[in-house]
Amino acid sequence: MTTYAEIAVIVVAAGSGQRAGGGIPKQFRNLGGMPVLARTLNLFCAFDFHSVIPVIGADQFDDFENVLKFVRADVRKRIASPVLGGNSRQASVLNGLQALVHSSPRFVLIHDGARALTPSDLVQRVTEALQTNDSVVPALLISDTVKEVSPSGMISATLNRNKLRTVQTPQGFRFQAILDAHQAAVARKVDGLMDDASVMEWAGLPVRIVPGAAGNLKITTVDDFEIAERQIFNERQDIRVGQGYDVHSFVPGDHIWLGGVKIAHTHKLNGHSDSDVLLHAMTDAILGALGDGDIGVHFPPSDNQWRGMASKVFLADAIARLHARGGVLAHLDGTLVCEAPKIGPHREAIRAEIASIAGISLDRVGLKATTSEKLGFVGRKEGVAAFATATVRLP
Ligand code: MG
């Protein structure tokens, strides 16, 4: 019986291809609220694999750091430090394999970073077939007729499609066998092999196919991004709205925190953390949309580790919970109710800070302010109230 702990995963994401547009390599482009590569890594981190090794380009370490922010925090530790890619896909895979030599897993899955929608049952299918095969590749039947064409644009042959398959990743191998085959190919100066199955074929070793999945799209072109976004959202979208409310009272002091921005004031807000009433309401709004308790459940005031804590930690945690569910934040909207301080002069700074903490664009952050016409506790300048709404999209 093969266990996931015996299998390492190499995710090849070193390409610089920009056919998908956006001015950055496709694996780092936003796909439905998070980078393509983050979706791919989340897929494999959901299993208890030996390790997940990303292979990236020399100038892609900053992009990769950003990707990690979107990987489920509870399983992020399964991702190893990224390995530097080579001049070709084949060279990049070999670098990934060599990074595994010291730990020598029994098997390895090799996956294209741009296949971000791979169904988990396909991963299981490849893994299970490794029990009885050294090389396993997911393959699809072809429904179109395939022609061989001459350079002059004339058909030179019609291939028998019954004997043809298109192949996908993840491709699974016995680790030592694929490492030996890759090293032998380099030693013989054989390069340009199109996938890892080709390396095994070149080495004369048998490769088993298992059924692939039609939805296992290799996201390459602008059109692919549109298809992939539809696949993620239009078919499975679950839009939810959550609300939050919070109040903190004034006590003697000289500043308050609102939306992660420090504002000079005649008082401060009383509370256990930095008492950022707006971020507390927004945190609760996200938790509400997720049906995942409230800020007091996750950060109990009785727990001293949260004393004086910057409330952006709470908002970031709620967003990590959202990402862990495969969701994205569509918008955050807040209303502050106070007689003083005046919010207008700070509105844009607060919006920008919230957008930064939440990892969303500025146009997805709303902030309004009102007084309560001198009525009630707010009207008596005894404190600040905040209302918030969050819209999230879950798969
Ligand atoms: Mg509070």
Side-chain angles (χ1 to χ4, degrees):
M1 179 69 190
T2 310
T3 65
Y4 292 122
E6 294 177 297
I7 305 172
V9 181
I10 294 173
V11 176
V12 190
S16 55
Q18 299 187 9
R19 262 201 290 164
I24 54 170
K26 60 190 178 184
Q27 64 272 29
F28 299 112
R29 265 200 64 185
N30 182 316
L31 174 63
M34 69 175 79
V36 169
L37 183 57
R39 290 189 179 276
T40 310
L41 293 173
N42 275 323
L43 166 75
F44 288 100
C45 284
F47 294 88
D48 195 13
F49 282 120
H50 168 283
S51 53
V52 178
I53 315 275
V55 183
I56 65 172
D59 54 353
Q60 296 174 343
F61 281 81
D62 287 347
D63 288 324
F64 184 76
E65 280 303 306
N66 181 52
V67 163
L68 283 183
K69 292 180 196 161
F70 292 89
V71 174
R72 288 173 47 181
D74 56 328
V75 290
R76 203 179 289 154
K77 62 179 187 301
R78 291 181 184 157
I79 300 175
S81 299
V83 170
L84 197 57
N87 290 329
S88 64
R89 185 185 186 284
Q90 193 183 327
S92 292
V93 170
L94 180 53
N95 288 356
L97 290 168
Q98 279 167 339
L100 283 165
V101 166
H102 68 285
S103 59
S104 193
R106 196 163 157 220
F107 299 103
V108 63
L109 299 183
I110 302 173
H111 189 67
D112 299 326
R115 287 190 200 268
L117 303 178
T118 306
S120 54
D121 63 345
L122 175 59
V123 176
Q124 288 166 350
R125 198 146 64 234
V126 171
T127 302
E128 279 161 21
L130 281 173
Q131 289 180 42
T132 47
N133 299 276
D134 281 357
S135 301
V136 178
V137 172
L140 289 178
L141 292 162
I142 294 175
S143 50
D144 292 328
T145 300
V146 182
K147 306 283 188 185
E148 203 172 271
V149 181
S150 72
S152 63
M154 304 300 286
I155 290 173
S156 52
T158 298
L159 306 178
N160 178 358
R161 70 172 177 227
N162 295 327
K163 293 175 70 176
L164 297 175
R165 301 288 185 275
T166 58
V167 300
Q168 307 180 321
T169 70
Q171 301 185 349
F173 304 96
R174 192 165 56 79
F175 175 71
Q176 197 60 48
I178 188 71
L179 176 65
D180 290 348
H182 265 279
Q183 286 177 331
V186 168
R188 301 275 191 87
K189 296 192 163 44
V190 174
D191 55 18
L193 294 173
M194 298 179 87
D195 67 352
D196 301 290
S198 308
V199 179
M200 294 299 264
E201 294 160 46
W202 171 82
L205 297 165
V207 179
R208 167 71 59 191
I209 63 163
V210 294
N216 186 18
L217 186 67
K218 187 174 182 182
I219 301 165
T220 307
T221 65
V222 175
D223 286 348
D224 292 338
F225 269 83
E226 287 179 11
I227 293 166
E229 293 218 345
R230 276 202 297 276
Q231 211 167 312
I232 291 165
F233 287 119
N234 289 11
E235 292 165 16
R236 304 181 269 160
Q237 182 157 228
D238 181 5
I239 298 177
R240 300 180 180 191
V241 176
Q243 59 110 5
Y245 171 69
D246 196 24
V247 172
H248 282 260
S249 60
F250 284 128
V251 291
D254 62 5
H255 69 273
I256 63 175
W257 287 92
L258 290 176
V261 174
K262 187 177 181 179
I263 296 171
H265 190 51
T266 54
H267 291 76
K268 68 172 189 171
L269 289 172
N270 190 28
H272 191 75
S273 63
D274 66 2
S275 305
D276 192 323
V277 64
L278 180 59
L279 291 189
H280 293 184
M282 287 182 162
T283 301
D284 265 353
I286 294 170
L287 293 172
L290 294 174
D292 187 3
D294 62 22
I295 194 168
V297 169
H298 298 296
F299 301 97
S302 55
D303 188 338
N304 265 329
Q305 66 173 309
W306 312 123
R307 183 173 292 282
M309 181 65 73
S311 296
K312 65 182 179 184
V313 170
F314 308 148
L315 182 60
D317 178 81
I319 288 165
R321 289 171 186 277
L322 170 64
H323 290 160
R325 301 254 294 261
V328 294
L329 183 62
H331 116 291
L332 271 177
D333 185 23
T335 301
L336 283 163
V337 191
C338 56
E339 301 293 331
K342 286 210 176 312
I343 303 303
H346 306 287
R347 185 198 311 265
E348 293 314 308
I350 292 172
R351 287 180 66 220
E353 182 63 18
I354 291 168
S356 165
I357 299 164
I360 56 179
S361 56
L362 194 58
D363 67 311
R364 293 178 182 275
V365 180
L367 179 63
K368 294 91 59 201
T370 183
T371 70
S372 71
E373 297 290 336
K374 300 194 167 54
L375 297 171
F377 67 88
V378 167
R380 294 189 298 270
K381 299 189 180 179
E382 291 171 3
V384 180
F387 297 86
T389 306
T391 305
V392 306
R393 301 196 293 173
L394 288 166

